[in-house]
Amino acid sequence: MTGPQENVKIFDLRPLEAVAGLVPGGRHCVPIMAALPELSIETDVVGVLHGADGLRILDPEPHGIGQRVLKFFESWGYQAEIIKLYDEGLRKGESMIVVPASYPERVAIARLMAGNGGHAVYYFGVSHVESLTGP
């Protein structure tokens, strides 16, 4: 176990088959990382975004016509609103945690995040997004 991937791009336009949420900045990630192995999740697959580098990774400027068209159509949906929540949280000094997870694992991970001050916790499935806490 090496620890989470900090400020590393681990997803393209949105997380996929993962639970993502915001936690207060600083040491709030530590208890979450410590508890993940109890849920059979290794921390080296977890992504943590924070600060200016995290913001650039979360929402880089789209390049190429295909990316611009895709971003345009996505901006009509709820996924863009969720990414805006994450952007706002990172700007306020919070950290975004992304935990790759199967559908059955999502509830335990969401409880862990919420129990450590997490909010805006969502499960990003292949074809849907599910709110696991309030914004």
Side-chain angles (χ1 to χ4, degrees), residues 9 49-61 87 90:
K9 186 175 176 112
L49 300 180
H50 53 87
D53 288 338
L55 277 167
R56 276 191 294 280
I57 292 166
L58 178 65
D59 195 20
E61 287 297 312
D87 180 89
L90 290 173

Side-chain angles (χ1 to χ4, degrees), residues 22-87:
L22 293 169
V23 296
R27 302 200 43 84
H28 286 84
C29 293
V30 173
I32 294 171
M33 294 306 148
L36 285 173
E38 296 170 19
L39 300 175
S40 300
I41 298 169
E42 295 299 323
T43 58
D44 60 347
V45 300
V46 174
V48 178
L49 300 180
H50 53 87
D53 288 338
L55 277 167
R56 276 191 294 280
I57 292 166
L58 178 65
D59 195 20
E61 287 297 312
H63 299 287
I65 189 69
Q67 286 283 351
R68 286 188 208 120
V69 169
L70 183 59
K71 190 144 182 121
F72 172 77
F73 284 111
E74 283 185 339
S75 70
W76 289 4
Y78 56 88
Q79 292 181 46
E81 295 305 314
I82 295 169
I83 297 300
K84 285 179 191 174
L85 281 174
Y86 292 153
D87 180 89

Side-chain angles (χ1 to χ4, degrees), residues 21 72 93-94 102 124:
F72 172 77
E94 295 179 304
S102 67
F124 291 84

